[in-house]
Each structure stands twice: as C-alpha cells, then as structure tokens.
Amino acid sequence: IIIFVKFFMKEKISVRKILLFSMLIFLAFLAIFIMAFLFASSPDEEIIYKKSFNLIGPQTILKTDNAKKLNANMVSVISFAFPENNRIQIQKPIKTFLGLQIQSAYSQRLGVELRGGTAGGSGVTDFQEFRPSMLEYIKELAILAESKKVSQFTIWGEIDNLLYKSPEQITPFSQELLQTASQHYSGKIGIGICSITDTSFYNFSGYDYMIVSLYPIETTVEEYFSENSTSYGINSNLQRQLKKVEEIKNKSNIDTIYVGETGVYDTDDKSTRDQFKTLILTHEEEAEFYKKFFQKTENFFNGYSLWLHDQTLGVGEDDAEKVVEEFYVQNQTSKNPHNNNT
C-alpha cells in the first residue's frame, strides 16, 4: 500500500525501503502461517470410516499434505520410543515433535490417531522390571492425547509383539494400561495386535477398538489370498489371519476394528528387506496386491492405516498409490458386517 501510494505521489523510494517493506510483508505472512499452524484444532466431524496413513519419525512431520492429497481423513501419529533394557520413556523433544506433527495434521483438517508405538523391538525380557516405566509412558501419552484432543489413542500398535516373551501378560497388562489411559484421556482408546498364535492370551474387553497388522510373511500372493490355503504359517494366508482376529474381536466384545499396518516391498526398495520376510513385488504387482487386499477385507474392517510411499513398506508410487487414492476417495461409512450399530 505504501509503495502504491508513493508511486502515484511520484515520490522516490529507495531500494533499501522496498527491501525492508518486502521483508515486513514476508514476516507478517509467516506469522499468520505459524499462528494458523499452532492454533489449528481437531476437526469437528466424527470419523466413521478410517482412511489414514501412518507417520513415524521426524522426517514425516510435513507429510500430512501428502496424506491429504491421497484422500485420507486422518493420520496415525506413532511415537518412536522403543523399550531398551526393559525400560521405556518419552523424552521431552519427542513429545514436542509429536505435538507438532498433530498440529500439522490439524492444519490440513485431518483427524489424528496417536499411537503409543508399533513393533516391540527386541521385546521385553523382564516384564516386572518393564511394567512401571510402560505405565508412566502411557500416562504421558494419554495426557498429550487429551491436551491435543486427538480422535483416537492407541496404547500400542502391536502389544503381542512387545510382550512376545511374556504372552500370558497380554490380557492382564492390557487392562492395566487401559485403566491408566482412561484416567487421563476421555476419547476412544484402542489396542493393536499382529502375529496371533494362541488366541487364549487375548482379551481386550473395555477397549473401543482394535487395530491389526496384516503382513504377508513367507508366502506368495496367490497363497496369501487363497480361500483354500494349505500353508502352515499364521501370516502366510489372509483368511487364517482374519479368522484369528474375529475370534479375539468376539471374545473382547469389540465392534470396531481397523487395519493398523500392511505392506510389501517393491523391487526398488532394497534397504530393509533383510529385516522383514514379506513379499517383494514389481510396481504393477504391488498395485494388484492392494486391489485384492481391499476387496478381501473392506467388509471386515472399519478402515485402514497404511504407510506412505516414501516409508519402509509404504504404498509404492504411481500404480499402487493410485489404487489407494481411488479406494480412499470413496465416500464410505462403516461396512463392517459384524457391527450392528452402523
């Protein structure tokens, strides 16, 4: 405005003044952006069908716009604190980062699932030593979840992976964790599972939802999707996985279940194949995998959380990403045939 007025008043303006004024304009817009980012709030509308992407690590803090472009309605922000020497804690910088990642999602008008962790790392070797720090860890995350008004708080993404050396503790400790979380967070609380061996160890009564990791391990695409599988491995066949999940769901009296993780390696991803024995597919085969996966599971689950294409086991670019984008763009309500309330 000043430049405009002075131009028509035929006053000379120094280059220095123009640069100073431009800098002030830039700083003003930057301040507006930062204020909008910091004060963005959780979307008001209730998310019925979950269309999410998992975000873990500092490199994903600005990836919420990618999720939005792929028609997600929320993101799953995962804490990257893992147990070491039978202890777990959340450092202040990590809490700050998680808060910023949540605000980034809100600035895109996305809902948020805050997840306490994913894989169990080396596992817990001494449960009694681990227990107090885990309860404190969940308390801190529950307080963060409440302060940020997230849509969902998942205590741990794969509780059976975390406690695989103490499976008898899965049910009682999950109940203890739920009690701790409920004292500090008033929203929906969930728990996650992965490789299910003996379903007698699992009962999540009182939880609002479950998430499930469904990876095709040591199998082929044909064997994984087969209706009449002859393979032995628990994670080598999807129908076998779903049967186990349904058994736990019914026993726990939980209506809402989500896919918390799935994925395959594409032929360009060679960095971490040795850590995970899942399928290695071409881009075209990966796209077909997701098509079949959605077809076989969309009537069983209330939604999905997938990995973005630039994350390990993420949805490959181009073909596979288009499959997910087209599936997510559908205006779906809950299709879960087991849920009589939807």
Side-chain angles (χ1 to χ4, degrees), residues 88 90 131-141 180:
I88 187 170
I90 183 165
R131 178 180 166 275
S133 64
M134 181 63 170
L135 290 171
E136 182 63 26
Y137 171 77
I138 292 303
K139 173 185 173 182
E140 291 294 315
L141 280 182
T180 297

Side-chain angles (χ1 to χ4, degrees), residues 148-278:
K148 293 295 183 180
K149 303 298 180 187
V150 301
S151 304
Q152 299 174 343
F153 175 42
T154 304
I155 285 176
W156 197 264
E158 296 175 354
I159 192 69
D160 44 359
N161 196 349
L162 181 70
L163 300 176
Y164 76 90
K165 294 183 179 180
S166 307
E168 72 281 356
Q169 297 293 342
I170 292 174
T171 292
F173 193 46
S174 295
Q175 293 302 317
E176 195 171 5
L177 291 170
L178 176 61
Q179 184 178 10
T180 297
S182 300
Q183 292 172 358
H184 304 281
Y185 174 67
S186 58
K188 296 183 182 298
I189 301 176
I191 193 75
I193 56 177
C194 59
S195 298
I196 307 162
T197 53
D198 185 347
T199 57
S200 67
F201 291 128
Y202 300 75
N203 190 326
F204 303 121
S205 299
Y207 279 88
D208 295 299
Y209 64 90
M210 284 193 323
I211 66 171
V212 186
S213 295
L214 294 176
Y215 289 102
I217 306 296
E218 297 182 329
T219 186
T220 64
V221 173
E222 294 75 17
E223 184 66 32
Y224 186 63
F225 291 116
S226 173
E227 299 288 341
N228 300 297
S229 172
T230 58
S231 65
Y232 177 75
I234 296 169
N235 292 313
S236 62
N237 179 258
L238 177 61
Q239 293 304 315
R240 190 178 297 115
Q241 289 175 322
L242 296 182
K243 185 177 179 180
K244 295 276 189 179
V245 171
E246 183 161 31
E247 186 177 337
I248 296 169
K249 181 193 75 69
N250 291 337
K251 183 166 59 173
S252 304
N253 195 28
I254 292 177
D255 289 327
T256 304
I257 49 176
Y258 306 109
V259 172
E261 296 180 34
T262 191
V264 296
Y265 292 122
D266 63 50
T267 49
D268 295 332
D269 185 3
K270 300 179 175 65
S271 59
T272 55
R273 287 182 187 174
D274 59 330
Q275 300 177 21
F276 208 63
K277 297 178 180 179
T278 188

Side-chain angles (χ1 to χ4, degrees), residues 8-9 39 45 47 54 81 99-100 132 164 168 199 236 241 302 311 335 342:
F8 280 94
M9 292 178 67
F39 290 98
E45 61 272 14
I47 294 174
N54 297 320
L100 289 173
Y164 76 90
E168 72 281 356
T199 57
S236 62
Q241 289 175 322
N302 297 85
Q311 295 174 276
K335 292 183 177 181
T342 56

Side-chain angles (χ1 to χ4, degrees), residues 312-326:
T312 301
L313 295 167
V315 175
E317 293 187 81
D318 302 324
D319 296 341
E321 195 172 73
K322 187 176 181 181
V323 169
V324 175
E325 181 181 8
E326 290 177 352

